[in-house]
Amino acid sequence: MARAEFQLPPLATATDWVMLGAVFLCSLSFYGFRMLEDRAEGGLVTVVQVGDERVAVLPARKDTVLVVSGKLGEVRIVQQAGELWLEDAPCRLKICERMGHIHRSGEVIVCAPNKVMVRRERVGGEREGTLDAISR
Amino acid sequence: MQSPAEGMAVVGPEPREVRERIERLSLIAAATAFELVLFVLDSALPRPIPWIKIGLANIVTLALLVGAGWRVAAAVHFLRITIGAVLRGGLFTPFFLLSFSGGAVSFIVMALAVRWAIPVLGFLGVSFLGALAHNTVQLLMVAAALSDSSVLVLLWPAVLLFSLCYGGFSGWCSFHFCRRIPQLAEGRLAQALRAG
Protein backbone atom coordinates (compact mmCIF):
# COMPACT_ATOMS: atom_id res chain seq x y z
CA MET A 1 0.00 0.00 0.00
CA ALA A 2 1.38 3.42 -0.89
CA ARG A 3 1.85 5.86 1.95
CA ALA A 4 -0.73 8.27 0.54
CA GLU A 5 -3.36 5.51 0.56
CA PHE A 6 -3.13 4.86 4.28
CA GLN A 7 -5.70 6.65 6.35
CA LEU A 8 -6.11 6.27 10.08
CA PRO A 9 -9.61 4.87 10.72
CA PRO A 10 -11.98 7.20 12.59
CA LEU A 11 -12.60 6.85 16.32
CA ALA A 12 -16.22 5.90 15.71
CA THR A 13 -18.53 5.62 12.73
CA ALA A 14 -22.32 5.74 12.59
CA THR A 15 -22.33 1.92 12.51
CA ASP A 16 -20.31 1.86 15.74
CA TRP A 17 -22.80 4.08 17.54
CA VAL A 18 -25.77 2.03 16.30
CA MET A 19 -24.10 -1.24 17.37
CA LEU A 20 -23.02 0.09 20.77
CA GLY A 21 -26.42 1.67 21.39
CA ALA A 22 -28.22 -1.57 20.53
CA VAL A 23 -25.97 -3.54 22.87
CA PHE A 24 -26.53 -1.03 25.66
CA LEU A 25 -30.31 -1.24 25.23
CA CYS A 26 -30.19 -5.06 25.17
CA SER A 27 -28.24 -5.13 28.44
CA LEU A 28 -30.56 -2.60 30.07
CA SER A 29 -33.65 -4.50 29.00
CA PHE A 30 -32.22 -7.71 30.44
CA TYR A 31 -31.58 -6.04 33.80
CA GLY A 32 -35.05 -4.45 33.69
CA PHE A 33 -36.55 -7.87 33.06
CA ARG A 34 -34.56 -9.31 35.93
CA MET A 35 -35.79 -6.57 38.28
CA LEU A 36 -39.38 -7.37 37.30
CA GLU A 37 -38.72 -11.06 37.84
CA ASP A 38 -37.29 -10.27 41.25
CA ARG A 39 -40.59 -8.69 42.28
CA ALA A 40 -42.61 -11.62 41.00
CA GLU A 41 -44.51 -14.02 43.22
CA GLY A 42 -42.74 -17.12 44.43
CA GLY A 43 -40.00 -18.08 46.84
CA LEU A 44 -36.34 -17.47 46.40
CA VAL A 45 -34.05 -20.49 46.68
CA THR A 46 -30.32 -21.04 46.63
CA VAL A 47 -29.07 -23.68 44.23
CA VAL A 48 -25.62 -25.18 44.70
CA GLN A 49 -24.21 -27.09 41.78
CA VAL A 50 -20.99 -29.05 41.28
CA GLY A 51 -20.39 -29.62 37.59
CA ASP A 52 -23.81 -30.36 36.14
CA GLU A 53 -25.12 -31.95 39.35
CA ARG A 54 -27.31 -30.05 41.84
CA VAL A 55 -26.00 -30.90 45.28
CA ALA A 56 -28.17 -28.57 47.37
CA VAL A 57 -31.34 -26.53 47.07
CA LEU A 58 -32.39 -24.52 50.10
CA PRO A 59 -34.61 -21.55 50.92
CA ALA A 60 -32.81 -18.25 50.61
CA ARG A 61 -34.00 -17.02 54.00
CA LYS A 62 -32.45 -19.92 55.91
CA ASP A 63 -29.19 -19.00 57.67
CA THR A 64 -26.71 -21.78 57.08
CA VAL A 65 -23.15 -22.74 56.23
CA LEU A 66 -22.64 -25.39 53.57
CA VAL A 67 -19.40 -27.19 52.82
CA VAL A 68 -19.40 -28.62 49.32
CA SER A 69 -16.74 -30.82 47.70
CA GLY A 70 -15.63 -29.47 44.34
CA LYS A 71 -13.02 -30.72 41.91
CA LEU A 72 -10.11 -29.12 43.80
CA GLY A 73 -11.42 -29.40 47.33
CA GLU A 74 -14.01 -28.11 49.76
CA VAL A 75 -15.84 -24.81 49.28
CA ARG A 76 -17.45 -23.08 52.24
CA ILE A 77 -20.72 -21.36 51.29
CA VAL A 78 -22.36 -19.01 53.78
CA GLN A 79 -25.98 -17.85 53.69
CA GLN A 80 -26.94 -15.25 56.26
CA ALA A 81 -29.70 -12.65 56.46
CA GLY A 82 -30.72 -13.34 52.87
CA GLU A 83 -27.21 -12.84 51.51
CA LEU A 84 -25.06 -15.55 50.02
CA TRP A 85 -21.31 -15.70 49.52
CA LEU A 86 -18.37 -18.05 49.13
CA GLU A 87 -16.21 -17.73 52.20
CA ASP A 88 -13.43 -20.12 51.42
CA ALA A 89 -12.41 -21.91 48.24
CA PRO A 90 -9.27 -23.87 47.37
CA CYS A 91 -8.75 -22.22 43.96
CA ARG A 92 -5.57 -20.17 43.41
CA LEU A 93 -6.93 -16.82 42.22
CA LYS A 94 -9.89 -16.64 44.65
CA ILE A 95 -12.02 -14.83 42.07
CA CYS A 96 -15.14 -16.56 43.45
CA GLU A 97 -14.47 -15.19 46.94
CA ARG A 98 -14.05 -11.70 45.50
CA MET A 99 -17.37 -11.92 43.62
CA GLY A 100 -18.92 -10.71 46.87
CA HIS A 101 -22.42 -11.24 48.19
CA ILE A 102 -25.48 -12.05 46.08
CA HIS A 103 -29.11 -11.83 47.11
CA ARG A 104 -31.39 -11.48 44.06
CA SER A 105 -32.83 -14.07 41.69
CA GLY A 106 -30.57 -14.68 38.68
CA GLU A 107 -27.36 -13.74 40.49
CA VAL A 108 -24.56 -16.26 40.41
CA ILE A 109 -21.16 -17.00 41.91
CA VAL A 110 -18.90 -19.35 40.00
CA CYS A 111 -15.71 -21.06 41.11
CA ALA A 112 -14.64 -22.29 37.67
CA PRO A 113 -11.47 -24.28 38.59
CA ASN A 114 -13.42 -26.05 41.31
CA LYS A 115 -16.53 -26.49 39.10
CA VAL A 116 -18.82 -25.09 41.80
CA MET A 117 -21.68 -22.73 41.00
CA VAL A 118 -24.04 -21.09 43.47
CA ARG A 119 -27.06 -19.17 42.24
CA ARG A 120 -30.35 -17.71 43.33
CA GLU A 121 -33.52 -18.90 41.63
CA ARG A 122 -37.18 -18.12 41.99
CA VAL A 123 -39.57 -21.04 42.34
CA GLY A 124 -43.30 -21.39 43.02
CA GLY A 125 -44.31 -20.22 46.51
CA GLU A 126 -45.48 -23.63 47.64
CA ARG A 127 -42.30 -25.39 46.57
CA GLU A 128 -40.08 -22.93 48.42
CA GLY A 129 -41.91 -23.64 51.67
CA THR A 130 -41.25 -27.35 51.45
CA LEU A 131 -37.55 -27.14 50.57
CA ASP A 132 -34.77 -27.93 52.93
CA ALA A 133 -31.09 -28.46 52.31
CA ILE A 134 -30.41 -31.43 50.08
CA SER A 135 -26.74 -32.24 50.23
CA ARG A 136 -24.49 -34.87 48.84
CA MET B 1 47.54 2.45 21.97
CA GLN B 2 45.30 0.49 19.68
CA SER B 3 42.24 2.19 18.28
CA PRO B 4 39.01 0.23 18.71
CA ALA B 5 38.69 -0.22 14.96
CA GLU B 6 42.13 -1.84 14.62
CA GLY B 7 42.14 -5.59 14.19
CA MET B 8 38.48 -5.65 13.25
CA ALA B 9 37.06 -6.40 9.87
CA VAL B 10 35.76 -3.37 8.08
CA VAL B 11 32.01 -3.60 8.09
CA GLY B 12 30.11 -1.85 5.39
CA PRO B 13 26.57 -0.56 5.64
CA GLU B 14 24.21 -3.22 6.92
CA PRO B 15 22.17 -4.97 4.29
CA ARG B 16 18.66 -3.57 4.08
CA GLU B 17 17.13 -6.92 4.97
CA VAL B 18 19.09 -7.20 8.23
CA ARG B 19 18.31 -3.63 9.20
CA GLU B 20 14.60 -4.17 8.62
CA ARG B 21 14.67 -7.38 10.65
CA ILE B 22 16.36 -5.54 13.51
CA GLU B 23 13.80 -2.74 13.28
CA ARG B 24 10.97 -5.23 13.37
CA LEU B 25 12.44 -7.09 16.36
CA SER B 26 13.03 -3.80 18.20
CA LEU B 27 9.44 -2.78 17.57
CA ILE B 28 8.12 -6.14 18.80
CA ALA B 29 10.33 -6.00 21.91
CA ALA B 30 9.38 -2.43 22.79
CA ALA B 31 5.67 -2.99 22.17
CA THR B 32 5.69 -6.25 24.17
CA ALA B 33 7.39 -4.51 27.08
CA PHE B 34 4.79 -1.73 26.95
CA GLU B 35 1.92 -4.24 26.77
CA LEU B 36 3.35 -6.08 29.78
CA VAL B 37 3.47 -2.85 31.79
CA LEU B 38 -0.18 -2.22 30.90
CA PHE B 39 -1.05 -5.86 31.71
CA VAL B 40 0.50 -5.58 35.20
CA LEU B 41 -1.21 -2.22 35.76
CA ASP B 42 -4.52 -3.75 34.64
CA SER B 43 -4.11 -6.64 37.10
CA ALA B 44 -3.54 -4.18 39.94
CA LEU B 45 -6.63 -2.05 39.23
CA PRO B 46 -9.80 -2.72 41.24
CA ARG B 47 -12.59 -4.42 39.25
CA PRO B 48 -16.34 -4.27 39.76
CA ILE B 49 -16.61 -7.86 38.45
CA PRO B 50 -13.52 -9.84 39.49
CA TRP B 51 -13.27 -11.97 36.35
CA ILE B 52 -13.56 -9.12 33.84
CA LYS B 53 -10.47 -6.97 33.28
CA ILE B 54 -10.33 -3.60 31.55
CA GLY B 55 -7.94 -4.94 28.90
CA LEU B 56 -5.45 -2.08 28.85
CA ALA B 57 -2.93 -4.17 26.89
CA ASN B 58 -5.49 -4.33 24.10
CA ILE B 59 -4.81 -0.63 23.42
CA VAL B 60 -1.38 -1.48 21.97
CA THR B 61 -2.60 -4.60 20.14
CA LEU B 62 -5.30 -2.66 18.29
CA ALA B 63 -2.94 0.22 17.49
CA LEU B 64 -0.42 -2.24 16.03
CA LEU B 65 -3.11 -4.07 14.07
CA VAL B 66 -4.11 -0.81 12.42
CA GLY B 67 -0.68 0.80 12.05
CA ALA B 68 1.81 -2.07 11.74
CA GLY B 69 -0.07 -5.05 10.36
CA TRP B 70 -1.34 -8.31 11.84
CA ARG B 71 2.01 -10.15 11.94
CA VAL B 72 3.67 -7.71 14.32
CA ALA B 73 0.46 -7.32 16.34
CA ALA B 74 0.12 -11.12 16.67
CA ALA B 75 3.74 -11.52 17.80
CA VAL B 76 3.34 -8.83 20.45
CA HIS B 77 -0.09 -10.03 21.60
CA PHE B 78 0.83 -13.69 22.10
CA LEU B 79 4.24 -12.88 23.60
CA ARG B 80 2.50 -10.67 26.14
CA ILE B 81 -0.03 -13.38 27.05
CA THR B 82 2.72 -15.97 27.52
CA ILE B 83 5.18 -13.74 29.39
CA GLY B 84 2.31 -12.32 31.47
CA ALA B 85 1.36 -15.88 32.53
CA VAL B 86 5.00 -16.64 33.40
CA LEU B 87 5.21 -13.46 35.51
CA ARG B 88 2.03 -14.44 37.36
CA GLY B 89 3.33 -17.99 37.81
CA GLY B 90 0.41 -19.51 35.97
CA LEU B 91 1.76 -20.89 32.69
CA PHE B 92 -0.34 -23.84 31.36
CA THR B 93 -2.79 -23.57 34.27
CA PRO B 94 -6.58 -23.34 33.67
CA PHE B 95 -6.26 -19.56 34.08
CA PHE B 96 -3.67 -19.47 31.28
CA LEU B 97 -5.92 -21.54 29.02
CA LEU B 98 -8.80 -19.13 29.67
CA SER B 99 -6.59 -16.13 29.03
CA PHE B 100 -4.96 -17.64 25.92
CA SER B 101 -8.19 -18.81 24.30
CA GLY B 102 -9.92 -15.50 25.00
CA GLY B 103 -6.89 -13.58 23.73
CA ALA B 104 -6.59 -15.70 20.57
CA VAL B 105 -10.25 -15.37 19.58
CA SER B 106 -10.28 -11.68 20.44
CA PHE B 107 -7.19 -11.12 18.27
CA ILE B 108 -8.68 -13.03 15.32
CA VAL B 109 -11.94 -11.06 15.57
CA MET B 110 -10.13 -7.72 15.71
CA ALA B 111 -7.74 -8.66 12.88
CA LEU B 112 -10.67 -9.65 10.65
CA ALA B 113 -12.55 -6.48 11.59
CA VAL B 114 -9.50 -4.30 10.82
CA ARG B 115 -9.00 -6.10 7.49
CA TRP B 116 -12.58 -6.23 6.29
CA ALA B 117 -14.78 -3.88 8.31
CA ILE B 118 -12.60 -0.83 8.92
CA PRO B 119 -14.37 1.58 6.55
CA VAL B 120 -17.65 0.68 8.24
CA LEU B 121 -16.37 0.36 11.81
CA GLY B 122 -14.04 2.66 13.70
CA PHE B 123 -11.73 2.06 16.66
CA LEU B 124 -14.64 1.87 19.11
CA GLY B 125 -16.48 -0.81 17.15
CA VAL B 126 -13.41 -2.97 16.54
CA SER B 127 -12.31 -2.72 20.16
CA PHE B 128 -15.80 -3.57 21.42
CA LEU B 129 -15.94 -6.66 19.17
CA GLY B 130 -12.54 -7.77 20.50
CA ALA B 131 -13.59 -7.29 24.13
CA LEU B 132 -16.89 -9.08 23.53
CA ALA B 133 -15.17 -12.02 21.82
CA HIS B 134 -12.62 -12.27 24.65
CA ASN B 135 -15.17 -12.28 27.45
CA THR B 136 -17.68 -14.49 25.63
CA VAL B 137 -15.07 -17.18 24.91
CA GLN B 138 -14.00 -17.16 28.55
CA LEU B 139 -17.62 -17.49 29.63
CA LEU B 140 -18.17 -20.35 27.17
CA MET B 141 -15.16 -22.15 28.60
CA VAL B 142 -16.47 -21.71 32.15
CA ALA B 143 -19.88 -23.03 31.01
CA ALA B 144 -18.14 -26.00 29.38
CA ALA B 145 -16.14 -26.67 32.57
CA LEU B 146 -19.37 -26.64 34.60
CA SER B 147 -21.28 -28.57 31.90
CA ASP B 148 -24.08 -26.06 32.45
CA SER B 149 -25.22 -23.43 29.99
CA SER B 150 -27.30 -21.51 32.56
CA VAL B 151 -24.15 -19.64 33.59
CA LEU B 152 -24.05 -18.23 30.05
CA VAL B 153 -27.61 -16.93 30.30
CA LEU B 154 -27.02 -15.43 33.73
CA LEU B 155 -23.69 -13.75 33.07
CA TRP B 156 -23.73 -12.83 29.37
CA PRO B 157 -25.66 -9.55 29.87
CA ALA B 158 -22.96 -8.45 32.32
CA VAL B 159 -20.34 -9.47 29.75
CA LEU B 160 -22.12 -7.36 27.11
CA LEU B 161 -22.30 -4.32 29.35
CA PHE B 162 -18.72 -4.49 30.55
CA SER B 163 -17.41 -5.25 27.04
CA LEU B 164 -19.19 -2.10 25.93
CA CYS B 165 -17.57 0.04 28.65
CA TYR B 166 -14.09 -1.47 28.61
CA GLY B 167 -13.96 -2.10 24.86
CA GLY B 168 -15.04 1.48 24.22
CA PHE B 169 -12.41 2.82 26.62
CA SER B 170 -9.65 0.69 25.03
CA GLY B 171 -10.73 1.78 21.55
CA TRP B 172 -10.65 5.44 22.55
CA CYS B 173 -7.18 5.08 24.09
CA SER B 174 -5.94 3.11 21.08
CA PHE B 175 -7.12 5.80 18.65
CA HIS B 176 -5.27 8.53 20.57
CA PHE B 177 -2.20 6.30 20.99
CA CYS B 178 -2.10 5.83 17.21
CA ARG B 179 -2.58 9.54 16.55
CA ARG B 180 0.38 10.48 18.73
CA ILE B 181 2.81 8.09 17.04
CA PRO B 182 3.45 9.28 13.47
CA GLN B 183 4.76 5.87 12.32
CA LEU B 184 1.39 4.36 13.24
CA ALA B 185 -0.82 7.30 12.30
CA GLU B 186 0.62 7.65 8.82
CA GLY B 187 0.94 3.94 8.13
CA ARG B 188 4.72 4.28 7.65
CA LEU B 189 5.37 1.29 9.85
CA ALA B 190 2.93 -0.94 8.02
CA GLN B 191 4.35 0.19 4.70
CA ALA B 192 7.95 -0.46 5.76
CA LEU B 193 7.10 -3.87 7.19
CA ARG B 194 5.17 -4.88 4.10
CA ALA B 195 8.08 -3.80 1.91
CA GLY B 196 10.43 -5.83 4.16
Side-chain angles (χ1 to χ4, degrees):
Chain A
M1 193 196 289
R3 191 183 299 180
E5 287 174 27
F6 183 87
Q7 204 175 5
L8 191 67
L11 174 63
T13 62
T15 316
D16 283 343
W17 291 121
V18 170
M19 180 172 71
L20 299 181
V23 167
F24 183 67
L25 287 177
C26 278
S27 301
L28 277 192
S29 56
F30 175 84
Y31 283 109
F33 175 74
R34 208 149 86 173
M35 279 177 73
L36 285 177
E37 196 189 50
D38 206 46
R39 288 178 187 173
E41 290 292 313
L44 197 59
V45 294
T46 298
V47 177
V48 182
Q49 206 170 313
V50 178
D52 57 351
E53 187 186 358
R54 281 185 174 204
V55 295
V57 182
L58 59 156
R61 59 171 181 263
K62 183 178 181 177
D63 289 355
T64 186
V65 176
L66 273 179
V67 178
V68 173
S69 292
K71 193 190 169 194
L72 299 179
E74 289 186 336
V75 181
R76 194 177 157 87
I77 302 158
V78 181
Q79 182 167 273
Q80 205 167 42
E83 301 224 328
L84 178 70
W85 67 96
L86 258 63
E87 198 174 66
D88 188 37
C91 52
R92 201 171 63 86
L93 296 174
K94 309 283 183 196
I95 288 175
C96 51
E97 288 179 27
R98 285 187 281 132
M99 283 178 92
H101 296 203
I102 61 170
H103 53 280
R104 288 200 183 92
S105 165
E107 290 184 327
V108 61
I109 300 175
V110 179
C111 180
N114 212 14
K115 296 195 174 185
V116 173
M117 177 165 71
V118 185
R119 66 170 184 265
R120 281 281 164 85
E121 246 176 44
R122 199 161 282 283
V123 293
E126 287 171 20
R127 268 186 70 197
E128 191 257 352
T130 60
L131 283 171
D132 200 355
I134 307 161
S135 306
R136 190 161 57 171
Chain B
M1 197 175 166
Q2 244 186 355
S3 76
E6 267 182 87
M8 291 169 73
V10 178
V11 181
E14 284 175 330
R16 188 166 160 260
E17 204 175 289
V18 175
R19 199 181 64 239
E20 277 165 358
R21 192 172 293 176
I22 291 169
E23 279 174 1
R24 188 187 301 210
L25 284 174
S26 310
L27 169 71
I28 290 172
T32 306
F34 188 42
E35 274 210 12
L36 278 167
V37 169
L38 292 175
F39 175 77
V40 172
L41 183 69
D42 200 354
S43 306
L45 288 174
R47 302 175 210 166
I49 294 187
W51 46 275
I52 296 185
K53 288 206 297 182
I54 298 175
L56 292 178
N58 200 40
I59 295 168
V60 182
T61 303
L62 181 54
L64 288 175
L65 262 174
V66 171
W70 71 269
R71 286 184 183 87
V72 170
V76 170
H77 186 69
F78 290 107
L79 269 171
R80 187 262 301 164
I81 292 175
T82 312
I83 298 172
V86 171
L87 289 177
R88 289 176 66 131
L91 194 61
F92 303 123
T93 58
F95 175 76
F96 172 75
L97 290 178
L98 273 178
S99 175
F100 190 86
S101 54
V105 175
S106 154
F107 181 82
I108 292 167
V109 166
M110 287 200 301
L112 290 174
V114 166
R115 178 72 181 84
W116 299 108
I118 225 44
V120 182
L121 295 179
F123 273 85
L124 288 190
V126 174
S127 180
F128 163 70
L129 289 178
L132 184 62
H134 188 275
N135 294 326
T136 304
V137 165
Q138 291 197 335
L139 196 55
L140 280 170
M141 290 194 69
V142 169
L146 291 167
S147 315
D148 185 357
S149 59
S150 66
V151 70
L152 261 180
V153 179
L154 295 171
L155 293 177
W156 204 63
V159 159
L160 267 182
L161 203 59
F162 280 94
S163 300
L164 183 74
C165 301
Y166 294 164
F169 176 71
S170 295
W172 183 83
C173 292
S174 192
F175 175 73
H176 290 286
F177 180 75
C178 262
R179 271 193 12 175
R180 274 157 185 75
I181 298 180
Q183 285 91 339
L184 291 173
E186 294 161 19
R188 275 187 268 158
L189 210 51
Q191 187 194 12
L193 292 172
R194 272 193 206 103

